[in-house]
Amino acid sequence: MQKKVQIGLVGLGTVGGGVYDALRRNGALMASRLGVGLRVRRVAVRNLSKRRVGANPPAAMLTTDWAAVANDPRVDLVVELIGGTTVARQVVLAALRAGKPVVTANKALLAFHGEELFAAARRYRANLYYEASVAGGIPIIKVLREALIGNRVTRLYGILNGTCNYILTRMQAEGAGFAEVLADAQRLGYAEADPSLDVDGHDAAHKAGILASLAHGFWVNPRQIHTEGIRHITALDLKFAAQLGYVIKLLAIVKKDGRGSAQVSVYPALIPKGHVMASVAGVFNAVYVRGDVVGDTLYYGRGAGADATASAVLSDLADAALDLKHHSTERVQAFVSHERNGALRPISAATNSFYLRLDVVDQPGVLARIAAILGRARIGISSVIQPEGHEGASVPLILMIHDAPEAAMARALGQIRKLNTIKGEPMMMRVENFT
Amino acid sequence: MQKKVQIGLVGLGTVGGGVYDALRRNGALMASRLGVGLRVRRVAVRNLSKRRVGANPPAAMLTTDWAAVANDPRVDLVVELIGGTTVARQVVLAALRAGKPVVTANKALLAFHGEELFAAARRYRANLYYEASVAGGIPIIKVLREALIGNRVTRLYGILNGTCNYILTRMQAEGAGFAEVLADAQRLGYAEADPSLDVDGHDAAHKAGILASLAHGFWVNPRQIHTEGIRHITALDLKFAAQLGYVIKLLAIVKKDGRGSAQVSVYPALIPKGHVMASVAGVFNAVYVRGDVVGDTLYYGRGAGADATASAVLSDLADAALDLKHHSTERVQAFVSHERNGALRPISAATNSFYLRLDVVDQPGVLARIAAILGRARIGISSVIQPEGHEGASVPLILMIHDAPEAAMARALGQIRKLNTIKGEPMMMRVENFT
């Protein structure tokens, strides 16, 4: 029985450094909890001469050759923390081929090469652990695969992108505009110089794909996920939403009823102020999961950052170490494909509730023409608000629409857009009541 | 390698029936996810002739002899769901002695006989799984033992009793009194005929003891936990708390800083309205855990009920089945005692913030005398509110006190109580700001 597991660390950037430091700080505690020690044996870095604050492994441990780490016979398991999808894929495949379990935090790698990597893990009877790849410190992979294993997941709602949640939280609190808050977030390091991966929803879609795959047992390609971002949301929308009792969050949504297909999408939605998801503020992430046995559950924590991600990597390291110790490497497999007939349903087949903000010319008969278009589409208006205190060539008009088919709504919106009493681009957002 | 695990079920009440039904409904799904089947082989019940709605195993499977189930050579693992601490203890010990892993949902059994049962699990190299014993559908045992294994837990706050949270939520929403809402909760089945286990905080203390033990690696006896209930809370307190920006929750609190002793207590506390724990309403439970690596995390779900508890039992059954399949029964041990110097700190050694509601005679000089007592005790008043609209022999006076030593506060309160300008019993509650 193995008493000490030797780790090969590939990457010593923000997350890699966080893992190295956390292991140095809490490694002895983990060993006393686990009954097996964890020791970093070799570390692959890009630049040997870079001076590091905090994580500073002895020079003898460092190399620039990741293959030397993956293939070192003294290394029992490999941790891939370099990011990207090219070299990272090679590192993971090389380690698996050598029969070594791999821990990774790389969601893009999994989203785009998951099937290949999981197949390799099976073929070489190693395993791939990826708790850190989705929602940082939230153990959502373990929850879906282990804690909720007795459940059919009928609904999953995720606040999975900390940058978007930070921006929306500040827009809400300060009444500020998107561009202004984004610029400030970039200055503070909460948003990238090129923010599109985050604010256009792609990062959340990568994560949603992984969670949907685990929940439903067939691999979901993130390219097939209907994805909208938050660039078009204005301070006015947050203000009107608040007046109506809602906040706005970028949600990843997975819905599946009975034996039907699954719907996976990412879009900003109005959610009721009193709902527990509405209190998820700032850079925090949360995943709300409804199981047919357990009912509603929520998991909340930091979605990114060196420490939260390191915590998830340590959890995987512990599982991997226990599996090595007990020769149970395939105990919880990286991905079990158990749904042969899994399929995605396009968003056009969904029914949703909507918030519609129009810039209308302030004259009689405008509402009648809009209502006529919606009426012909058999779409019912649940309320109309014409906020006071707006003057000028055009004024805002808010329509709340309950349970309308997406396709009908899209067609109606196309017609409304053409009315010459409508100025600017109509703003349409979905309302999510968690039903 | 084992392809099917045979289960002996002891108890077919609310939870046992829920487990039986959920297994019938989702057993095939679990088998496809696990790679190993789960089959109920025998079921011990109290009354063979009782007619059951839902869970109705074939008559041939039933027996009234629990020992026959535990010792049946065809039974691989035993699920104890009869509750209580006498027969349940015998069932668990008998199964462990026979080398069979045991799954239980019995928090009282663990709170009072945990050390004996864990020792038996080690001695006979079986294992004891108890996810369902604390907070029903919330996988907090798995989270503390596995997901947060790389963390020192510095703070743990639990809303662990659904009955109390239901009562407080309704008192808040309706402005109703404790007795009135309790009576209604009893009528609706959310509170027992004898509610003391719940409303006096003992049930939450049993759970707090288990969570504190897991977090800190030494066994915490629930009898040593400072425990207060919610009977003394009035509609007036909830109203004043709301005006001050707080809600009231019964919290289980575990605090530990550095190498010092741990403080474990259960009491009602004012918590800020905007905090995510404040949005935990009705019968829901939640556990807020701060780890030194991961930061703040939250886990939320139903704390009781057949289905939520069944979901947790199924999760344990899956772990136990995988451990049997991979001969890794001791992979995650029932309880690892890893802190030799673990000790509890009495609440008298703590520093807290307080809400103090006094019934005072409405005359000049009253506040001066109270302030003098607090001043001599070096306790600072952060705010004083004399709510308007109260008339009569006595009127309410609210004092908010920031960071006062418990012992000094208790002494000062003893003196305030004796003032002849104070009518009725002073109401003191702690304020928890999650710092």
Side-chain angles (χ1 to χ4, degrees):
Chain A
M1 208 163 270
Q2 204 150 355
K3 285 289 173 213
K4 195 148 217 158
V5 169
Q6 312 275 352
I7 298 166
L9 191 57
V10 180
L12 197 66
T14 307
V15 176
V19 169
Y20 186 86
D21 280 345
L23 262 181
R24 208 171 41 173
R25 190 152 38 111
N26 289 353
L29 173 67
M30 288 181 72
S32 68
R33 286 170 170 170
L34 286 170
V36 54
L38 297 165
R39 184 183 167 191
V40 177
R41 185 83 208 194
R42 292 196 85 178
V43 182
V45 296
R46 204 170 305 172
N47 180 354
L48 282 178
S49 56
K50 184 177 170 189
R51 291 185 63 89
R52 295 180 169 82
V53 184
N56 244 330
M61 211 184 259
L62 299 180
T63 171
T64 54
D65 178 8
W66 62 261
V69 173
N71 295 315
D72 187 329
R74 295 166 306 176
V75 164
D76 300 314
L77 75 87
V78 173
V79 184
E80 180 279 305
L81 297 172
I82 51 174
T85 56
T86 310
V87 179
R89 176 174 156 273
Q90 293 167 11
V91 172
V92 173
L93 286 173
L96 292 175
R97 259 187 234 117
K100 296 177 186 180
V102 176
V103 174
T104 180
N106 195 327
K107 72 188 156 280
L109 180 66
L110 289 167
F112 293 112
H113 301 289
E115 287 187 291
E116 178 191 19
L117 301 179
F118 297 148
R122 267 195 308 281
R123 186 172 326 122
Y124 301 107
R125 313 197 67 171
N127 204 346
L128 183 60
Y129 303 81
Y130 51 99
E131 184 61 80
S133 69
V134 179
I138 304 175
I140 190 63
I141 307 286
K142 188 176 273 287
V143 163
L144 287 174
R145 291 203 299 199
E146 302 176 36
L148 300 181
I149 189 164
N151 288 265
R152 290 174 206 278
V153 173
T154 56
R155 295 286 182 276
L156 184 151
Y157 304 93
I159 295 173
L160 297 176
N161 185 276
T163 303
C164 287
N165 206 50
Y166 175 83
I167 291 174
L168 290 172
T169 303
R170 279 197 53 191
M171 286 174 70
Q172 178 97 43
E174 300 164 22
F178 172 81
E180 177 189 339
V181 176
L182 171 63
D184 209 44
Q186 285 171 319
R187 215 171 35 76
L188 294 165
Y190 292 139
E192 305 281 342
D194 175 2
S196 50
L197 188 65
D198 292 313
V199 303
D200 294 332
H202 305 302
D203 171 79
H206 294 164
K207 295 166 179 168
I210 295 172
L211 297 185
S213 302
L214 286 171
H216 297 303
F218 67 96
W219 195 249
V220 175
N221 186 332
R223 295 188 214 274
Q224 290 179 277
I225 298 173
H226 174 87
T227 303
E228 300 174 19
I230 64 165
R231 285 186 201 263
H232 59 307
I233 299 172
T234 66
L236 215 54
D237 294 312
L238 285 154
K239 190 181 122 191
F240 293 148
Q243 285 173 7
L244 292 159
Y246 296 95
V247 300
I248 299 174
K249 298 285 180 192
L250 182 70
L251 291 185
I253 300 181
V254 184
K255 295 184 179 179
K256 186 171 189 300
D257 293 297
R259 296 185 169 272
S261 48
Q263 193 204 308
V264 186
S265 32
V266 171
Y267 50 70
L270 281 73
I271 69 174
K273 242 184 230 180
H275 194 274
V276 63
M277 285 287 270
S279 64
V280 177
V283 295
F284 277 84
N285 282 17
V287 188
Y288 196 87
V289 186
R290 181 173 300 154
D292 67 336
V293 181
V294 75
D296 287 2
T297 62
L298 173 92
Y299 313 91
Y300 163 99
R302 280 177 196 280
D307 286 349
T309 311
S311 175
V313 170
L314 293 185
S315 160
D316 276 350
L317 281 175
D319 274 344
L322 287 175
D323 285 338
L324 283 169
K325 179 182 170 189
H326 291 278
H327 308 289
S328 60
T329 305
E330 296 175 282
R331 188 178 174 279
V332 175
Q333 286 175 37
F335 180 65
V336 179
S337 171
H338 60 76
E339 179 55 82
R340 275 186 223 158
N341 305 315
L344 292 188
R345 189 166 68 244
I347 196 162
S348 56
T351 291
N352 278 308
S353 296
F354 296 90
Y355 157 97
L356 196 57
R357 176 173 56 77
L358 304 170
D359 254 342
V360 301
V361 176
D362 193 10
Q363 65 185 42
V366 172
L367 180 58
R369 296 175 68 183
I370 296 164
I373 290 172
L374 291 170
R376 278 197 301 276
R378 300 173 160 275
I379 293 170
I381 302 170
S382 62
S383 60
V384 179
I385 301 119
Q386 180 117 43
E388 289 178 22
H390 291 269
E391 279 180 30
S394 66
V395 294
L397 177 72
I398 315 294
L399 303 176
M400 297 298 281
I401 288 160
H402 189 65
D403 277 357
E406 286 269 352
M409 189 65 199
R411 276 192 305 272
L413 193 61
Q415 293 167 30
I416 290 170
R417 191 183 275 120
K418 286 184 203 145
L419 294 176
N420 57 15
T421 46
I422 303 289
K423 304 291 165 195
E425 184 58 19
M427 172 65 171
M428 184 194 90
M429 262 188 291
R430 295 171 187 86
V431 180
E432 183 56 62
N433 288 306
F434 300 94
T435 50
Chain B
M1 206 161 273
Q2 205 150 356
K3 284 289 173 217
K4 193 149 219 159
V5 169
Q6 311 276 352
I7 297 167
L9 191 56
V10 180
L12 197 66
T14 307
V15 176
V19 169
Y20 186 86
D21 280 345
L23 262 181
R24 209 171 40 173
R25 189 151 41 109
N26 289 351
L29 174 67
M30 288 180 72
S32 68
R33 286 169 171 171
L34 284 169
V36 55
L38 297 165
R39 183 182 167 192
V40 177
R41 185 83 209 195
R42 291 196 84 177
V43 181
V45 295
R46 205 170 303 171
N47 180 355
L48 283 179
S49 56
K50 184 177 170 188
R51 293 184 63 88
R52 295 179 169 82
V53 183
N56 244 330
M61 212 184 258
L62 299 180
T63 170
T64 54
D65 179 8
W66 63 260
V69 173
N71 295 314
D72 187 328
R74 294 167 307 176
V75 164
D76 300 314
L77 75 87
V78 173
V79 184
E80 180 280 304
L81 297 172
I82 51 175
T85 56
T86 310
V87 180
R89 177 175 157 273
Q90 293 168 11
V91 171
V92 173
L93 286 173
L96 293 175
R97 260 188 234 115
K100 296 176 185 180
V102 176
V103 174
T104 181
N106 195 326
K107 71 187 156 282
L109 180 67
L110 289 166
F112 293 112
H113 302 289
E115 287 186 291
E116 179 192 16
L117 301 179
F118 297 148
R122 267 195 308 280
R123 188 173 323 121
Y124 301 107
R125 313 196 68 171
N127 204 346
L128 183 60
Y129 303 82
Y130 50 99
E131 183 62 79
S133 69
V134 178
I138 304 175
I140 190 62
I141 308 285
K142 188 175 272 288
V143 162
L144 286 174
R145 292 204 298 199
E146 302 176 37
L148 301 181
I149 190 164
N151 287 265
R152 291 173 205 277
V153 173
T154 56
R155 295 286 183 276
L156 184 152
Y157 305 93
I159 295 175
L160 298 176
N161 185 274
T163 303
C164 288
N165 206 50
Y166 175 84
I167 291 173
L168 291 171
T169 302
R170 281 198 50 192
M171 286 174 70
Q172 178 96 43
E174 300 164 22
F178 172 81
E180 177 189 338
V181 176
L182 172 63
D184 209 44
Q186 286 170 319
R187 214 170 38 74
L188 294 166
Y190 291 140
E192 305 281 343
D194 174 1
S196 51
L197 188 65
D198 291 314
V199 302
D200 294 331
H202 305 301
D203 171 80
H206 294 165
K207 296 165 179 168
I210 295 171
L211 297 185
S213 302
L214 286 170
H216 296 305
F218 66 97
W219 195 248
V220 175
N221 186 331
R223 295 188 214 276
Q224 290 179 277
I225 297 173
H226 174 87
T227 303
E228 299 174 20
I230 64 164
R231 285 187 200 264
H232 59 306
I233 299 172
T234 66
L236 215 54
D237 294 313
L238 285 153
K239 191 181 120 190
F240 294 148
Q243 286 172 7
L244 291 159
Y246 295 96
V247 300
I248 299 175
K249 298 285 179 192
L250 182 71
L251 290 185
I253 300 180
V254 184
K255 295 183 180 180
K256 187 172 188 300
D257 293 297
R259 297 186 168 273
S261 47
Q263 192 204 306
V264 186
S265 31
V266 171
Y267 50 70
L270 281 74
I271 68 175
K273 242 184 232 181
H275 195 273
V276 63
M277 284 288 269
S279 63
V280 177
V283 295
F284 277 83
N285 282 16
V287 188
Y288 196 87
V289 186
R290 181 174 300 153
D292 68 336
V293 180
V294 75
D296 286 3
T297 62
L298 173 93
Y299 313 90
Y300 164 98
R302 281 177 197 278
D307 286 348
T309 312
S311 175
V313 170
L314 293 184
S315 160
D316 276 351
L317 281 175
D319 274 345
L322 287 175
D323 285 338
L324 283 169
K325 180 181 171 190
H326 291 277
H327 308 287
S328 59
T329 305
E330 296 175 281
R331 188 178 174 279
V332 176
Q333 286 175 38
F335 181 64
V336 179
S337 171
H338 60 77
E339 179 54 83
R340 275 185 223 159
N341 304 314
L344 293 187
R345 189 166 71 245
I347 195 163
S348 56
T351 291
N352 278 308
S353 296
F354 296 89
Y355 157 96
L356 196 56
R357 176 174 55 78
L358 304 170
D359 253 342
V360 301
V361 177
D362 194 10
Q363 65 184 42
V366 172
L367 180 58
R369 295 175 66 182
I370 296 165
I373 290 172
L374 291 169
R376 278 197 301 275
R378 299 173 160 276
I379 293 170
I381 302 170
S382 62
S383 60
V384 179
I385 301 120
Q386 180 118 43
E388 288 179 23
H390 292 269
E391 278 180 29
S394 65
V395 294
L397 178 71
I398 315 294
L399 303 176
M400 297 298 282
I401 287 159
H402 188 64
D403 277 356
E406 285 270 352
M409 189 66 198
R411 276 193 304 273
L413 193 61
Q415 293 167 33
I416 290 170
R417 191 182 274 120
K418 286 183 202 145
L419 294 176
N420 57 16
T421 46
I422 304 289
K423 303 293 166 194
E425 184 58 18
M427 172 65 171
M428 183 194 91
M429 262 186 293
R430 294 172 187 86
V431 180
E432 183 55 63
N433 287 306
F434 300 93
T435 50

